[in-house]
Amino acid sequence: MSLDANQLPGGRFLWTDTEPERVFMPEDFTEEHRMIAQLAEDFVANELDPLEEEMEQKLSYGLTVDKLRAAGELGLLGAEVPEAFGGIETDKVSALILSEKFGRVPSFFVSYGGQTGIGSLPIVFFGNERQKRTWLPDIVFGRKLAAYALTEASAGTDALGIRTTATLSEDGTHYVLNGSKQFISGSGFADLFIVFAKVNGTDFTAFIVERNSPGLTIGPEEKKMGLKGSSTCALTFDQVPVPVENVLGEVGRGHIIAFNILNIGRIKLGAGSLGLSKDVIGISARYANERKQFGKSLSSFPLIGRKLADMNIRAYALESMLYRTGGLLDEALGAINLGAEHSGAQSAKAIAEYALECSIIKVFGSETAGFAVDEGVQIHGGYGFTQEYRIERLYRDARIFRIFEGTNEINRMLIPGTIVKRCSQGALPLLASEPALPEWNGAGSGAPLDLEQRLTESARQWFRWLLAQAVRTFGHGLDQEQEICAHLADIAIHLYAMESVSIRARKRMARDGEAKAQVSRLMTAAFIHESYEKVLAWARDIVSSLGIGEQGEQAWERLRAPEEMAAFDRVEARRKVAARVIEEEKYVC
């Protein structure tokens, strides 16, 4: 599948700005999007919140299973499944909205994500007609629950290193699976598993395996730090027969399924991280208003306000990137008929186009959630360390997000690796010519956010120059320079965030006027200023490591914050953002 002439290519933010009118943002939600959001909010409030504590005790799987089925009856499990197979076939933005809303209840979010994402989308995108008709209607209504089985004791981040094998029977009717899987979410109650094994020990392949298959053993529940309301067990395969009809996709092409479904899993994890972060902001603001210290509300202290502002600003950046990428995926996947014969290959190419953005959102999203819960505990003080308050559990729950769907470390390696690979394929023009050593563009217009746009462009130029120098210096060995790769990844992550919040704020100002968009503008400016200083620090580290002589010395001299940045009062900006959060006791934008 080649890109449509009007489709924005993945990674475009690395070499040029994008016109705001071409970027989807939360302010562009349709009435249908808002209806789906409300339906999910009501379900969480009415069906999950009252039972959340009981679910966490996990005396049985009954509550989780019942609520998954209740969600299925409302259509909440079929958002990405074609109508022909029982789903409601909404867009990717709608699917992200649902993931965001369920992110408020992390244990259920994991079960929900297994059912609607990594457990079912392999069949949606890569299953044949028979497989889709056999499994999807039951999955959509929660009559059958699904799970994804890739991780092994010796193959977590290194997915291709799995040792589970599949051997074709002599009569050619079935494969025999042997091996084990570990840390499989939803395995305690799943009816079917998307299992990855190597045919003949070499050909990485996906299979649909039923729970009642002879020789399949489900291990005991893992004793986890958090997400205690979810199920996590190991699977053991001892001569498990799987019909050849249950091969998903093609033999030897399972990596296409695994990696592209992980991309979708990464962006959905970012959505869940957003929902969790927003919830923590509300919890923390309400507590800060109620709690008295020295005769005053905790929220009246500026350092508490700063925490709330920083939590809100990071969530705003995540929200901006998340739905921007959702819009890109909708453009890429919208024209594909998922019932067609070659839809799997088309879907894989469409998803892979934005693999970079999905990794970025996974890293930034999980770290935003981690930051939010940590600051939330701090705002609660000693009470945040007790189980009496919900923030204690959310703190434990959020920790796994930086490990799920590929650790943040491996995603930081994937980001520059993906960029260099796309450059070599001609999909990104970053290395087509030698970029000049960046110079600060001091010719500003004075318009609102003009300085921030120039800071974003400067970050972009520095990334291009640093990438070119790193590739020139290390060549194919760049992936071994993990510290440099991680800094390049962090610059790319913050560049995407900087451009996204800038575009969003400019759209808001154009639509609503500068006064109504004040909080958006202040958050955008504060985020970009802070991010630009981080970019400069990472760039200095890279320059020091490259050892590129006189040019490196010139670069070092230019890696200074422009004097114009001093005119923006970040303290006052955060105080204004904090005031809104404290007043409304929730996430604001």
Side-chain angles (χ1 to χ4, degrees), residues 465-474 478 484 539-549:
W465 186 81
L466 291 164
L467 178 69
Q469 304 312 311
V471 170
R472 173 194 285 178
T473 302
F474 299 108
L478 177 58
I484 290 176
R540 291 189 198 103
D541 276 0
I542 295 174
V543 169
S544 297
S545 298
L546 289 174
I548 47 181

Side-chain angles (χ1 to χ4, degrees), residues 78-90 133 137 140-141 338:
E80 296 172 90
V81 177
E83 292 181 4
F85 308 111
I88 58 176
E89 201 169 1
T90 59
R133 293 202 178 278
V140 164
F141 288 99
L338 294 178

Side-chain angles (χ1 to χ4, degrees), residues 487 490-491 494 531 533-543:
H487 282 331
D490 281 324
I491 294 172
H494 279 73
S531 294
E533 290 187 342
K534 291 179 179 178
V535 167
L536 295 181
W538 292 320
R540 291 189 198 103
D541 276 0
I542 295 174
V543 169

Side-chain angles (χ1 to χ4, degrees), residues 352-388:
E353 183 67 28
Y354 302 106
L356 172 63
E357 286 82 354
C358 290
S359 283
I360 283 174
I361 288 168
K362 191 274 175 183
V363 174
F364 190 90
S366 61
E367 292 180 0
T368 294
F371 175 80
V373 294
D374 188 76
E375 292 289 59
V377 168
Q378 195 70 16
I379 289 170
H380 281 72
Y383 287 110
F385 203 67
T386 69
Q387 293 183 4
E388 180 182 356

Side-chain angles (χ1 to χ4, degrees), residues 352-426:
E353 183 67 28
Y354 302 106
L356 172 63
E357 286 82 354
C358 290
S359 283
I360 283 174
I361 288 168
K362 191 274 175 183
V363 174
F364 190 90
S366 61
E367 292 180 0
T368 294
F371 175 80
V373 294
D374 188 76
E375 292 289 59
V377 168
Q378 195 70 16
I379 289 170
H380 281 72
Y383 287 110
F385 203 67
T386 69
Q387 293 183 4
E388 180 182 356
Y389 284 81
R390 187 165 174 261
I391 189 66
E392 180 270 344
R393 175 164 48 75
L394 296 179
Y395 180 87
R396 289 184 288 103
D397 287 347
R399 186 59 186 85
I400 191 63
F401 285 10
R402 283 175 272 171
I403 299 171
F404 271 162
E405 311 295 3
T407 66
N408 284 11
E409 288 73 25
I410 193 61
N411 274 282
R412 278 187 164 91
M413 295 302 102
L414 286 172
I415 288 168
T418 299
I419 292 169
V420 171
K421 181 179 179 180
R422 286 178 62 81
C423 287
S424 67
Q425 295 171 339

Side-chain angles (χ1 to χ4, degrees), residues 121-148:
L121 290 185
I123 302 175
V124 172
F125 288 129
F126 301 101
N128 58 38
E129 177 80 11
R130 185 196 67 80
Q131 291 167 341
K132 291 176 182 178
R133 293 202 178 278
T134 299
W135 300 111
L136 291 180
D138 282 341
I139 288 175
V140 164
F141 288 99
R143 295 189 293 261
K144 296 285 186 181
L145 302 180
Y148 184 85

